[in-house]
Amino acid sequence: MPPTAVNVAAILLLVLPGFLSYRFAVWRRADPTHRSPLWQLSEILEHSAYVHLFGAGLVAVLHSALQWWFGLDSYAKFLIQNGPNAFLDKHFAEAILWFILYPVYVIVASSILGSYDVPQRVSSFIITVLGIPSRLKWMRGLPVPRDPYPQEPVWHYAFNLMSNNYTTSVPHVLVNMKSGDIYFGEIATYPLVADTELDKDFLITNVRYYRGGDFDEERRLFDIDGIGAVLLNTANVDSILLYYQEIPSIQSG
């Protein structure tokens, strides 16, 4: 194979996982905002780095397993030291096997990484860890780090990120309707659509209903047979107040 063809294939393989996983991640996200080419390129490179770093670890483990457990030589060191061209000339069959298996790994890993949006989850985890000191009583003055992905809709931020993926608190909403009625309950589902979309449905459970906003006349809809939840639409909503009820920690006895 000509050296130029090998170099082009190597460059494509380097960028391919970032492109694939980025496309999967964009498809999963709700934000339709157009991003600049530089912003997209930076995220593609970030995704590629994750795939190849994890792939390097897998190759190292596989090389050790073949060499120490089974007594086989994978020639991985030769590939790293001499490059793909020399590897093809010296060990053609092994090179073809490596060059087939690694692209297959890249496609599978990129699909998984993009579907679960791993870079975003890792970034959010880092931001969460950095924000722990600001929640301590004696360090309340520290600013809380901003979310690394502010392009997500406010619904995602208000319910998912603020509750740490629903592990630290249960989001409750006090919904003031344009008609004057008030609903209070637990958020069950919410729309992952752009904030510019004004017509959005959301579902609340364990609902308390106050007709005309009169808090003296409370109707507990969850006590009524056949009413498990209430589906509301933002087009009919005047305002929504958010409450975060902390989930009590489970102590082992």
Side-chain angles (χ1 to χ4, degrees):
M1 182 180 292
T4 304
V6 175
N7 295 334
V8 171
I11 294 175
L12 290 177
L13 187 63
L14 181 67
V15 180
L16 178 63
F19 177 77
L20 291 177
S21 53
Y22 172 74
R23 295 308 304 169
F24 272 93
V26 170
W27 172 78
R28 174 186 174 275
R29 294 176 192 168
D31 180 46
T33 306
H34 176 71
R35 300 297 166 184
S36 68
L38 182 60
W39 188 93
Q40 297 179 49
L41 178 61
S42 64
E43 186 158 354
I44 287 174
L45 293 177
E46 180 186 4
H47 282 257
S48 290
Y50 277 84
V51 173
H52 288 303
L53 285 175
F54 189 72
L58 286 179
V59 170
V61 171
L62 180 60
H63 177 266
S64 300
L66 291 175
Q67 192 169 15
W68 296 106
W69 297 346
F70 303 104
L72 301 175
D73 194 350
S74 64
Y75 304 105
K77 288 184 178 179
F78 185 90
L79 172 62
I80 296 173
Q81 294 172 356
N82 299 277
N85 289 324
F87 189 39
L88 276 169
D89 295 336
K90 184 73 174 178
H91 308 286
F92 182 78
E94 291 82 359
I96 293 299
L97 181 62
W98 277 107
F99 294 162
I100 290 177
L101 289 179
Y102 196 75
V104 171
Y105 153 76
V106 163
I107 294 175
V108 174
S110 301
S111 303
I112 296 175
L113 181 137
S115 297
Y116 288 95
D117 215 350
V118 172
Q120 178 178 357
R121 291 175 180 269
V122 173
S123 301
S124 298
F125 173 76
I126 293 174
I127 294 298
T128 300
V129 172
L130 293 176
I132 289 177
S134 63
R135 295 199 294 268
L136 301 176
K137 290 183 179 180
W138 57 88
M139 301 183 74
R140 289 285 174 86
L142 290 177
V144 179
R146 296 184 62 184
D147 175 51
Y149 281 82
Q151 75 274 12
E152 292 287 0
V154 67
W155 290 77
H156 176 76
Y157 177 82
F159 298 121
N160 192 292
L161 295 182
M162 287 294 291
S163 62
N164 195 20
N165 233 356
Y166 296 94
T167 58
T168 59
S169 62
V170 178
H172 289 71
V173 290
L174 182 68
V175 184
N176 294 279
M177 307 298 292
K178 292 180 179 179
S179 62
D181 297 338
I182 294 178
Y183 294 88
F184 179 78
E186 218 174 279
I187 193 72
T189 62
Y190 57 91
L192 275 178
V193 296
D195 294 329
T196 54
E197 176 61 51
L198 302 180
D199 189 3
K200 299 186 284 280
D201 291 325
F202 61 100
L203 190 71
I204 58 176
T205 59
N206 296 325
V207 182
R208 290 174 168 84
Y209 171 65
Y210 307 93
R211 184 174 182 179
D214 186 359
F215 286 100
D216 293 330
E217 295 186 8
E218 177 183 271
R219 296 186 62 188
R220 300 189 177 190
L221 301 186
F222 52 86
D223 289 336
I224 302 176
D225 293 338
I227 301 180
V230 174
L231 182 64
L232 301 174
N233 189 282
T234 53
N236 304 317
V237 172
D238 182 60
S239 65
I240 301 176
L241 281 72
L242 303 179
Y243 300 87
Y244 300 97
Q245 181 177 344
E246 185 176 353
I247 299 177
S249 59
I250 301 176
Q251 301 178 352
S252 57

